[in-house]
Amino acid sequence: MATGDRKGQQIWGGRFAASPSDIMEAINASIDTDRRLAQEDIAGSRAHADMLAEMEIISAEDNEAIQSGLDIVAEEIRNGVFPFDRSLEDIHMNIEARLKTLIGEPAGRLHTARSRNDQVVTDFRLWVRGALAEAGARLAGLQSALVRRAEGHAGTVMPGFTHLQTAQPVTLGHHLLAYVEMIERDRGRLGDAAMRANECPLGAAALAGTGFAIDRDMTCEALGFARPMANSLDAVSARDFALESLAALSVAATHLSRLADEIVLWTSAPFGFASLGDEWSTGSSIMPQKRNPDAAELVRAKAALIAGQFASLQGAVKALPLAYAKDLQDDKALTFAAFDTFDLCARAMTGMMETIAFHPDAMAHAAGQGFSTATDLADWLVRELRLPFREAHHVTGTLVAMAEARSVDLADLSLEEMQGVHAGITRAVFNVLTPERSVESRTSLGGTAPVRVSEQVAQWKKRLGLEKT
């Protein structure tokens, strides 16, 4: 085959006398993945062409032809009729080749003073910036669902756990707001990643900058970046913006997984705290009674996929010398997959939290088991009898052992039995031995008391713009 006969060689083939093998073409092509960057690539080319014309590196007429051709390309991609060609390797070559077909010679001037190295990472940063914003919005939607449910359950008593053992009574509203706080930190991490991703590599060219008198501030401003990247080597090789984004996604997905695991536990028969609707459940092929929380279980599993995609990207870049290496081609596949998976998980968790049916009676019953008010008894001994806490802890432990031996709760012990352990105990102690009184007493900042939960709900509704909804 003569040089230039293959489309792939029309752009970079002057150095080569033979075509790539089919296997080389297959391993080298990224168009099936990076076609998602089409709109970002067009935006970058528009900004670059405008700058080249402004700096009189290309003519105004060439720029006009380029812009008109890019209009057609954008429309073809939107309408699904763009002729993608795997032999052209990637989205950049596909667009440039199509532009040449549409407008001829001016298309060849578009690549002046840039390289695919700065072109692709500019596109990638634009995409990641948008994806981070979308992920943050998804999390805000989940927060809104949690806050609304917390508002309706500010006083719903349930057991709080440590080591998955009954610890102290809490309210369901308080429990749900814990996830709102976690997710707010997740949104902060996504925002931090977006801030550091918001630097423009365009103009770094292959690795050393360019000898053309370009205006990097102009392209930076046109694309909405905060600043041009200051070092051309760093600009084309850095992928820490993608790493940071996937790390933030991984942490956020871990929080989604924790909430999903709560749903799995709460909807199980031994707990019975909640039920998922049909739209978030599946059945069994053999057991007709089953209602499986598969959506929650899948979120729990997919969090591991996102963590794995972060680890894979970190492994790809950890030993790369400056500047660009083809190892970086897979950065996009990993990043796209992580964001796609996260978006699905966030939407699923929001749907489940909007529709899950809670069972307050089952929660209240469980909250009274496992000697959950033992700490309240110890606190009463400190507060009313002025016992040192360690002595109060010992007295309470003795009473718990007594109740456990009789298979009754603390409140079922008689006053005489309690006074047999400590003579100073009075009938007033029974006022603190109910889960309802326990949660009402936890009025410290950040505590589970219904009044504190309602205050937090009001603050979150204001922060999330939910006051009128």
Side-chain angles (χ1 to χ4, degrees):
M1 180 181 295
T3 302
D5 287 350
R6 290 179 65 101
K7 290 180 180 178
Q9 290 191 344
Q10 290 174 358
I11 293 177
W12 55 261
R15 166 70 172 78
F16 295 82
S19 302
S21 72
D22 291 341
I23 295 174
M24 177 60 193
E25 186 173 281
I27 197 172
N28 194 44
S30 62
I31 185 60
D32 294 337
T33 296
D34 62 28
R35 63 197 299 170
R36 290 180 66 165
L37 296 174
Q39 296 306 322
E40 288 79 10
D41 195 70
I42 290 169
S45 291
R46 289 189 188 281
H48 187 66
D50 280 340
M51 182 275 295
L52 292 176
E54 179 69 21
M55 301 305 293
E56 299 183 350
I57 297 170
I58 66 173
S59 68
E61 291 76 19
D62 283 344
N63 184 36
E64 184 177 347
I66 289 169
Q67 300 294 347
S68 297
L70 290 173
D71 287 340
I72 297 172
V73 170
E75 186 68 18
E76 288 178 341
I77 291 172
R78 279 194 295 269
N79 293 335
V81 296
F82 184 86
F84 290 106
D85 184 346
R86 293 188 83 245
S87 72
L88 292 171
E89 296 183 13
D90 57 32
I91 187 62
H92 325 295
M93 285 186 169
N94 268 264
I95 289 176
E96 186 172 332
R98 180 59 176 157
L99 195 61
K100 184 174 182 179
T101 300
L102 291 170
I103 67 172
E105 184 177 281
R109 297 192 171 94
L110 174 58
H111 209 55
T112 305
R114 76 174 182 184
S115 162
R116 274 194 297 173
N117 292 356
D118 64 336
Q119 185 180 0
V120 63
V121 73
T122 299
D123 296 353
F124 194 22
R125 282 179 179 266
L126 286 170
W127 190 92
V128 167
R129 188 177 68 183
L132 286 167
E134 291 178 11
R138 290 291 187 206
L139 288 178
L142 176 55
Q143 284 180 300
S144 296
L146 288 164
V147 168
R148 290 190 179 100
R149 301 312 301 273
E151 183 175 27
H153 291 282
T156 298
V157 177
M158 67 175 290
F161 300 96
T162 61
H163 309 279
L164 203 57
Q165 304 294 311
T166 300
Q168 294 177 318
V170 297
T171 61
L172 175 57
H174 188 60
H175 195 114
L176 296 177
L177 287 180
Y179 285 99
V180 176
E181 295 284 345
M182 292 181 213
I183 293 168
E184 185 66 12
R185 294 192 295 273
D186 293 330
R187 289 176 63 198
R189 278 182 282 269
L190 294 175
D192 289 344
M195 177 182 66
R196 278 180 284 277
N198 199 29
E199 295 184 331
C200 186
L202 194 58
L207 74 162
T210 177
F212 290 94
I214 61 172
D215 185 344
R216 293 190 62 205
D217 288 313
M218 180 178 173
T219 50
C220 176
E221 182 177 352
L223 294 171
F225 286 107
R227 64 193 66 82
M229 294 189 74
N231 183 286
S232 60
L233 286 167
D234 179 48
V236 299
S237 63
R239 294 298 185 273
D240 54 345
F241 69 94
L243 273 173
E244 183 177 10
S245 299
L246 296 198
L249 279 191
S250 182
V251 175
T254 299
H255 290 151
L256 298 186
S257 177
R258 294 185 72 182
L259 180 56
D261 190 62
E262 304 259 33
I263 291 175
V264 173
L265 289 173
W266 291 352
T267 58
S268 67
F271 274 76
F273 290 0
S275 298
L276 284 176
D278 291 350
E279 65 270 39
W280 299 109
S281 305
T282 66
S284 166
S285 64
I286 190 173
M287 296 171 284
Q289 85 280 10
K290 293 294 294 298
R291 179 190 291 273
N292 300 323
D294 282 10
E297 292 171 350
L298 287 166
V299 168
R300 195 171 56 183
K302 289 181 185 299
L305 296 181
I306 295 171
Q309 283 145 358
F310 164 71
S312 294
L313 182 58
Q314 187 177 48
V317 302
K318 71 177 180 62
L320 293 184
L322 294 176
Y324 182 81
K326 203 60 178 273
D327 308 54
L328 296 175
Q329 178 166 288
D330 286 333
D331 57 0
K332 290 165 286 299
L334 292 167
T335 302
F336 293 162
F339 274 99
D340 288 347
T341 302
F342 184 81
D343 185 73
L344 185 62
C345 291
R347 287 189 288 126
M349 290 308 306
T350 301
M352 282 185 277
M353 291 313 305
E354 287 174 341
T355 58
I356 192 171
F358 293 112
H359 305 316
D361 290 345
M363 290 183 173
H365 177 72
Q369 297 181 329
F371 309 107
S372 64
T373 58
T375 305
D376 298 276
L377 172 56
D379 288 348
W380 185 89
L381 293 170
V382 171
R383 188 170 52 250
E384 301 298 327
L385 304 187
R386 302 298 183 184
L387 296 184
F389 182 80
R390 287 303 171 199
E391 182 180 348
H393 187 284
H394 180 77
V395 169
T396 302
T398 302
L399 291 171
V400 167
M402 181 184 297
E404 188 173 39
R406 290 185 48 201
S407 299
V408 299
D409 199 11
L410 282 171
D412 297 318
L413 294 174
S414 68
L415 178 61
E416 290 74 18
E417 287 173 311
M418 290 191 178
Q419 289 176 335
V421 176
H422 193 286
I425 297 176
T426 69
R427 188 166 298 280
V429 74
F430 292 100
N431 292 331
V432 303
L433 296 184
T434 67
E436 292 75 17
R437 289 292 181 88
S438 176
V439 297
E440 288 171 1
S441 72
R442 306 295 172 181
T443 57
S444 60
L445 178 65
T448 192
V451 64
R452 291 289 174 257
V453 174
S454 294
E455 290 171 357
Q456 288 295 308
V457 165
Q459 292 176 21
W460 277 111
K461 289 181 72 175
K462 183 176 181 180
R463 291 173 68 174
L464 294 169
L466 302 177
E467 301 102 319
K468 298 181 181 179
T469 61

